[in-house]
Amino acid sequence: MIKPWNRNNFQQLFLLLTLLGAVILSANLLADRVIAQDTQLFLPVIFKPACPLSPEEQALANLLINDVGQQRVSFSCHPILAQVARQRAEDMAQRGYFSHTTPEGYGPNYLVRQAGYVLPSYYSTALDGNNIESIAAGFPTTAAAWQQWMGSTAHRTQLLGLNSFFAEQTEYGIGYAYNPNSDYLHYWVVITAKRGP
């Protein structure tokens, strides 16, 4: 009998794939030095975990990355942040709340740390801490959600990296959920973060 996968199985698979990628990269870089002596060209394979986004999430990612006001030089999707963002949107849609904290009092900093993403030590460690998340609800399109955030100074500063704290957050995850039986129908989550030591 095959048992369904749970969160720990996915975290273990992610860790295994990350380690495998590191081994492959190390082996390729070593081989690069050896083969270079024989004047052959060798291009190392760099492992990058997948960061699957739904069409709605990808559309929002495009707005986030390509906004003319975006101050970050580089910005990449991180699979753990994407997973947490989607779970946050789905949780709000299913349990009928709209807040940076779950009904149990857990905020985004806590949730991404629990998922295995290491935040800098100076980020809030309070259970309801939030240095990384923007949320919107009730907007049926990515453009409408984005426009609402751009009309808010605090959200605009985070999403576009308009100060040094947020400009250093060069990894993101995006979540979207729709529930016709919920108060707001559409739930949007953007997490921007910086990995700590």
Side-chain angles (χ1 to χ4, degrees):
M1 178 174 155
I2 299 175
K3 294 182 180 179
W5 277 43
N6 61 30
R7 182 173 164 187
N8 288 335
N9 295 123
F10 283 107
Q11 288 176 337
Q12 290 171 355
L13 178 61
F14 177 75
L15 179 60
L16 178 64
L17 291 174
T18 302
L19 291 173
L20 178 61
V23 169
I24 291 170
L25 179 59
S26 297
N28 285 339
L29 293 175
L30 179 61
D32 188 30
R33 289 188 203 133
V34 173
I35 293 173
Q37 294 173 357
D38 294 333
T39 65
Q40 295 177 8
L41 178 62
F42 181 81
L43 298 175
V45 175
I46 298 175
F47 173 77
K48 183 176 182 182
C51 194
L53 299 176
S54 71
E56 295 86 1
E57 292 163 350
Q58 185 59 59
L60 186 51
N62 293 342
L63 290 172
L64 176 68
I65 294 166
N66 298 315
D67 189 285
V68 296
Q70 183 58 255
Q71 298 300 301
R72 296 172 179 93
V73 176
S74 66
F75 213 12
S76 60
C77 184
H78 191 281
I80 292 177
L81 299 180
Q83 171 193 349
V84 173
R86 183 175 293 157
Q87 288 172 348
R88 289 275 301 123
E90 290 172 351
D91 189 51
M92 286 189 284
Q94 290 171 8
R95 297 206 285 164
Y97 71 96
F98 178 63
S99 173
H100 287 293
T101 56
T102 68
E104 298 77 23
Y106 299 125
N109 288 15
Y110 174 83
L111 295 171
V112 300
R113 284 181 172 125
Q114 289 299 309
Y117 189 93
V118 179
L119 291 172
S121 59
Y122 54 88
Y123 278 37
S124 174
T125 56
L127 288 181
D128 64 350
N130 178 24
N131 300 110
I132 59 176
E133 182 185 73
S134 284
I135 58 176
F139 301 97
T141 65
T142 56
W146 186 253
Q147 183 177 9
Q148 185 272 336
W149 281 324
M150 292 301 99
S152 160
T153 302
H155 291 111
R156 182 179 174 82
T157 299
Q158 179 207 352
L159 295 172
L160 298 182
L162 299 181
N163 65 29
S164 60
F165 180 85
F166 290 117
E168 291 180 346
Q169 294 180 341
T170 58
E171 294 183 319
Y172 69 87
I174 295 177
Y176 168 75
Y178 171 76
N179 182 347
N181 300 315
S182 65
D183 290 338
Y184 294 101
L185 304 177
H186 304 271
Y187 297 81
W188 304 91
V189 177
V190 176
I191 295 175
T192 61
K194 170 187 177 178
R195 274 186 273 188

